[in-house]
Amino acid sequence: MKNTALITGSSNGIGLELAKVHASKGGDLVLVARNKSKLDELKTELENLFKVKVYVIGIDLSANNSAQEVYDETSRQNIQIDYLINNAGFGDFGMFVETDWNKELQMINLNITTLTQFTKLYLQDMVKRRSGKIMNVASTAAFQSGPTMAVYYATKAYVLSFSEAVDNEVNDKGVTVTTLCPGATESGFQAAAAMEESNLVKGKKLPTSKEVAEYGYAAMMKGKTVAIHVLMNYLMANSVRFTPRALVVKLTRKIQDKAK
């Protein structure tokens, strides 16, 4: 395979659209997600439409050491990963004292541990070749704490901080690390997080997954360190630097609360 991108969480939403963008440019793919049947359908679609090669791996990425299993599989198949896109992730909505710990543990494993391990494994190969691109998908949630989604916001803050640091470490070695920070997006995320009634999304016209994917992919190709989709999101994310933290938390809570 040439110019191959590995994309996690590629069975729907932003990940699926990123796969389409890469395939449309003639790039081969390794698609990774829990739902293998959806991946198989996407594989057939992309191979027929764009004449590229697609390899699918069905695996639960919240499981311990799942990133190592994927890395070992691509090594066995002799697939060189040129672009790594860590897109898989999910959130949960509710007061921390009431939310389910097992779901939060899965969230931490997926949003933080698996993403970090994927980056470690494939980055080492990229640095040896002095060539490669990584995109880690965070969120505008990364820029402040988030009452009613406390763990999710914290995981995305980790992704942003980690990715910026690693990009600084390797950007003189032919490798770039981009952090994509979309705001609320029409992607199925809200349903999975049980937050359709939140002020953040109810009644709002949200950017589509396709729009976010096209923006993020272009930012990755340019080697941009932090890419915040939509001007308003950029302004809001950066405004928290000049606002008292206590006020930011209160405002975030108001935005996140269920619409009345």
Side-chain angles (χ1 to χ4, degrees), residues 11 33-42 56-59:
S11 60
R34 185 167 49 185
N35 192 327
K36 188 174 182 298
S37 61
K38 282 190 176 181
L39 294 182
D40 287 334
E41 291 176 10
L42 183 57
V56 303
I57 301 175
I59 188 172

Side-chain angles (χ1 to χ4, degrees), residues 94-100 104 150:
M95 298 299 183
F96 179 68
V97 71
E98 300 170 351
T99 47
D100 180 73
E104 283 160 344

Side-chain angles (χ1 to χ4, degrees), residues 10 84 88 122 179-180 235:
S10 44
L84 169 66
Y122 288 106
T179 311
L180 174 61
L235 295 174

Side-chain angles (χ1 to χ4, degrees), residues 3 20 27 38 94 138 148 177 213:
N3 191 28
K20 290 181 178 179
K38 282 190 176 181
T148 70
V177 180

